[in-house]
Amino acid sequence: SEFSLDDPLEPALLRTIETTGWAMALAAAGSDLLVLDGADGAMVYGMAPASPVRLSSYTLGGFVLAGAVGGTTAFVLDREKGLLVLDLTKKSEPVLLCRWMPLLEGRRLTVRDGICYVAGGLSGMHVFDMANTASPIETYWYDTGGGYANQVMIDEGAAYLTSHLATKEPLTIFDLSDPLLPEKLGAVPNDAAVFNSAFRAMCMGEDALMIAG
């Protein structure tokens, strides 16, 4: 709702803009308006004097709660998808610049040479430099795209990550040439061979990986 504050003691309702979701918060985007609209995402409205027009809508399928705009960059807090950074240079087509998901749940972890690898449930895989145990530094994050990260195992310069739920890759393999910055090598797809199997705990045998599914 938009109010006139010509008389601050008696605000006057000018108009109400109907949105498709729950309007949780607002942020000025230059002369336009960023509406954080719950499950329907972050929306940009052109605030024309006669009739506001929705210019765009951006969502990753989570639930946006709050946001702020600096110049042409919008920072959007999504309680399910983390912190989204959007480029609003072209307000009709927001572009996702990056996304950061905090470690919400430490499911399992392993430590190797002062580096901690955490399977963080819905928040994916996290790598922490533990050189200063009083202040660990996160050096890498892998987004499982909705998959639930169960376990990380390290073996001979490689990391193996199992996950289940809404995942396209129940097993992901990383090269650890730089142990602080894993590089994805490949994955086992959720295809007919492993259809919807829940990859959980695992162990390494003779040239084979055994997985409890």
Side-chain angles (χ1 to χ4, degrees), residues 84-136:
L84 316 181
V85 182
L86 304 177
D87 182 2
L88 298 183
T89 300
K90 190 175 181 181
K91 292 178 182 177
S92 60
E93 295 181 12
V95 175
L96 180 66
L97 297 177
C98 64
R99 179 164 82 93
W100 177 71
M101 174 66 95
L103 178 56
L104 301 178
E105 177 186 2
R107 179 66 178 172
R108 291 184 176 92
L109 61 84
T110 185
V111 178
R112 179 70 60 91
D113 299 327
I115 302 169
C116 183
Y117 302 84
V118 182
L122 290 174
S123 70
M125 183 179 80
H126 304 255
V127 179
F128 293 91
D129 183 351
M130 303 297 292
N132 181 358
T133 55
S135 181

Side-chain angles (χ1 to χ4, degrees), residues 116-167:
C116 183
Y117 302 84
V118 182
L122 290 174
S123 70
M125 183 179 80
H126 304 255
V127 179
F128 293 91
D129 183 351
M130 303 297 292
N132 181 358
T133 55
S135 181
I137 298 173
E138 184 169 9
T139 61
Y140 179 80
W141 168 60
Y142 178 73
D143 182 5
T144 50
Y148 190 93
N150 271 302
Q151 182 182 356
V152 182
M153 189 178 70
I154 309 299
D155 185 77
E156 296 185 357
Y160 301 85
L161 171 69
T162 57
S163 59
H164 72 284
L165 293 179
T167 180

Side-chain angles (χ1 to χ4, degrees), residues 142 151 159-164 167-174 184 186-190 194 199 202 209 211:
Y142 178 73
Q151 182 182 356
Y160 301 85
L161 171 69
T162 57
S163 59
H164 72 284
T167 180
K168 296 179 180 179
E169 299 173 344
L171 176 66
T172 311
I173 302 101
F174 302 87
K184 183 177 176 181
V188 172
N190 185 11
V194 298
F199 281 25
M202 58 184 157
L209 190 65
I211 299 172

